[in-house]
Amino acid sequence: MPELPEVETIARGLANAINGKTIDFVTVLRPKVALPEPVRFARELAGERVAAVGRRGKFVVLTFGSGRQLVVHLRMTGRLIVQPAEATILEPYTNVVLVFRDGVRVCFADVRQFGRMRLVEPEEAWAAELGLEPLSHDFSYEGFSSLLAGRTTPIKVFLLDQRRIAGIGNIYACEALWAARIRPNRPAGTLSKPARRRLHASIIDVLRRAVEMRGTSVDDYVDADGLRGGFQNVLTVYGRDGERCPRCERPIVRTVLAQRGTWWCRGCQTG
Ligand SMILES: [Zn+2]
């Protein structure tokens, strides 16, 4: 599932391709993926000019000149692919197509059809439930530390909770905990102050490096140009059970926490 670095990369690619462009028309091929209902969705979007493309948590957000926003959640296998005007066939599994006045298209493609596009009015507080952005100034050590206080949830499960910190998923939770040398099942509220400091710094560092490398392609993820990311080449623990820990050489193990595969090293993640 695309996490912060992948969604950020997609949003940047889209911004390059469609910023300032006006939507000519929209075709909804699979009604359940769009809100409001298809006829209104298409009618309302036609004529909107893209003022900005950004990201909030794991959502891609297109902001229009009118102040309305198109909020896209890619879920498991969703893709937003830019096609030039001369392209003759749609991206496979396309559910919605945005066609711009210069002929450029954005295909919202999704094999599993869990992804969603939602048009929201300027006054709708659609992101009210989302937590801190870990790459923003709001994500201070003090703020992070106070979120952990008193929590009995395993730290890894806590990191996945989008209402606390937005954008971290399974890959970067595992990687940040390894970098900070913290056991994934440790209750969040019991981390020592040095461990909280290490984890705060590791979250930022891992996410920044992954954004620089344009995300992690361990499954279907590709950017807006259809290209794979690079961070899968530098993963230390995620998906690497049986391989040696790069820090202490013990074998990486896979355990299950809250129904999610969790990769870590028993040798050095003892904090
Ligand atoms: Zn180790």
Side-chain angles (χ1 to χ4, degrees):
M1 179 188 282
E3 307 179 26
L4 184 154
E6 293 78 43
V7 177
E8 179 71 29
T9 304
I10 291 166
R12 289 179 186 183
L14 283 177
N16 285 334
I18 61 169
N19 245 348
K21 292 187 180 178
T22 300
I23 295 177
D24 185 10
F25 64 93
V26 172
T27 307
V28 180
L29 300 164
R30 210 161 289 276
K32 72 171 183 183
V33 310
L35 259 176
E37 51 79 24
V39 173
R40 197 174 141 215
F41 182 85
R43 190 185 59 221
E44 300 281 332
L45 278 169
E48 284 282 16
R49 186 183 56 84
V50 179
V53 185
R55 177 195 59 76
R56 177 77 173 95
K58 299 179 191 172
F59 297 87
V60 177
V61 184
L62 277 65
T63 302
F64 300 111
S66 65
R68 295 196 291 190
Q69 294 183 310
L70 184 63
V71 177
V72 187
H73 198 193
L74 300 163
R75 298 276 176 85
M76 307 292 288
T77 53
R79 298 173 166 198
L80 286 166
I81 302 289
V82 176
Q83 292 191 321
E86 56 273 19
T88 50
I89 50 165
L90 290 177
E91 185 70 16
Y93 306 104
T94 291
N95 297 331
V96 178
V97 196
L98 312 179
V99 183
F100 293 85
R101 284 189 181 157
D102 63 356
V104 165
R105 296 191 292 243
V106 172
C107 295
F108 181 37
D110 192 351
V111 180
R112 296 182 63 180
Q113 302 172 21
F114 291 130
R116 293 290 180 267
M117 277 186 154
R118 184 173 155 220
L119 181 62
V120 297
E121 297 300 322
E123 64 277 11
E124 281 185 65
W126 66 270
E129 298 276 290
L130 289 177
L132 294 173
E133 279 293 331
L135 294 184
S136 77
H137 291 296
D138 298 338
F139 188 61
S140 64
Y141 166 72
E142 292 74 21
F144 174 62
S145 200
S146 67
L147 288 179
L148 297 177
R151 311 265 321 176
T152 54
T153 327
I155 184 62
K156 191 208 162 198
V157 178
F158 174 90
L159 292 177
L160 298 179
D161 185 346
Q162 301 300 299
R163 297 167 301 177
R164 311 293 167 193
I165 305 169
I168 301 176
N170 210 19
I171 295 173
Y172 302 106
C174 290
E175 293 294 315
L177 287 167
W178 180 84
R181 306 195 304 275
I182 293 166
R183 170 165 66 82
N185 60 354
R186 170 181 276 281
T190 67
L191 288 174
S192 68
K193 187 171 178 190
R196 294 198 300 271
R197 285 232 177 251
R198 290 199 305 272
L199 183 55
H200 177 255
S202 296
I203 289 169
I204 295 170
D205 178 62
V206 165
L207 291 173
R208 275 204 187 130
R209 285 192 295 119
V211 169
E212 275 169 26
M213 297 184 75
R214 308 175 56 80
T216 302
S217 292
V218 285
D219 44 32
D220 303 271
Y221 161 71
V222 289
D223 69 11
D225 298 313
L227 302 173
R228 286 162 59 82
F231 202 71
Q232 65 278 6
N233 301 316
V234 298
L235 290 171
T236 51
V237 285
Y238 181 84
R240 309 229 151 177
D241 39 315
E243 295 182 33
R244 288 191 181 281
C245 169
R247 192 163 48 211
C248 76
E249 306 220 313
R250 300 261 185 96
I252 304 292
V253 295
R254 178 188 184 276
T255 57
V256 175
L257 257 181
Q259 290 92 51
R260 307 292 301 277
T262 301
W263 287 267
W264 60 293
C265 174
R266 290 186 201 277
C268 61
Q269 287 181 247
T270 54

